[in-house]
Amino acid sequence: MGEVLGRVLVVDDDEVIRQLIAVNLSLEGFEVATATDGQDCLDRVLDVMPDVITLDVMMPLLDGWVTAQKLRTEEATSHIKVVLITARAQDDDKRRGRGIGVDAYLTKPFDPAELIEVVRDLASSPRA
C-alpha cells in the first residue's frame, strides 16, 4: 500500500451512505473513521484529529449546520476542513455553509469520484 493521503471523519446518520463514503475514501488511500451524527462527531473529533470531515446536513440530535458551527468556533477543531454533503442544494443553503466557513459543499446524489477529488484537494491544502 502507498502512503496515507490523510485522515477523514465521515459523519452521516445513514449507514449505507456512511459506508459508501468510507469505503471509497479507504480504497483511495485515506485513513477513515466514522460517526453516526453531529454529537458523535464532536465526541470523537479530538481522538481522530482528521484532516477533513465529510458532514451530512440532515441528522438527528445535532444537524450538520450546528456541528460545523461548533467545529469552527472551537480552537482545537477550527482548522479541520469540512465538506457538507446534503440533498439541500438551494442557494440559501450554500450561502449558509459559506457563512459558517465550510470548505466545500456537495449535493446528494454525489459522484464518488468528485467526493474523492474534493477530499484529496482539501487534505493536501493548508487551512487559510
Side-chain angles (χ1 to χ4, degrees):
M1 288 299 277
E3 67 182 79
V4 173
L5 296 177
R7 188 174 295 133
V8 182
L9 180 56
V10 175
V11 186
D12 200 303
D13 61 317
D14 183 315
E15 184 177 355
V16 173
I17 294 173
R18 190 171 61 245
Q19 290 306 315
L20 171 76
I21 294 170
V23 166
N24 276 284
L25 291 172
S26 292
L27 289 172
E28 201 60 31
F30 289 95
E31 185 180 310
V32 179
T34 61
T36 56
D37 57 49
Q39 188 59 57
D40 192 24
C41 170
L42 296 175
D43 291 345
R44 300 198 62 217
V45 68
L46 294 179
D47 292 331
V48 175
M49 281 315 290
D51 301 298
V52 179
I53 296 173
T54 66
L55 186 58
D56 184 27
V57 171
M58 306 303 288
M59 295 184 292
L61 298 180
L62 281 183
D63 67 20
W65 302 119
V66 173
T67 304
Q69 185 70 52
K70 288 179 178 283
L71 290 165
R72 283 293 173 253
T73 57
E74 293 296 324
E75 188 175 343
T77 58
S78 64
H79 67 284
I80 299 170
K81 309 287 180 61
V82 176
V83 180
L84 284 183
I85 301 177
T86 181
R88 299 177 59 116
Q90 291 80 13
D91 286 341
D92 284 351
D93 295 316
K94 292 179 181 178
R95 270 194 294 280
R96 184 175 179 186
R98 282 193 299 272
I100 292 170
V102 301
D103 299 282
Y105 196 104
L106 292 176
T107 54
K108 293 178 184 175
F110 58 88
D111 175 1
E114 181 183 9
L115 171 70
I116 289 164
E117 185 178 328
V118 167
V119 171
R120 184 187 289 128
D121 288 349
L122 291 175
S124 65
S125 65
R127 176 97 185 128

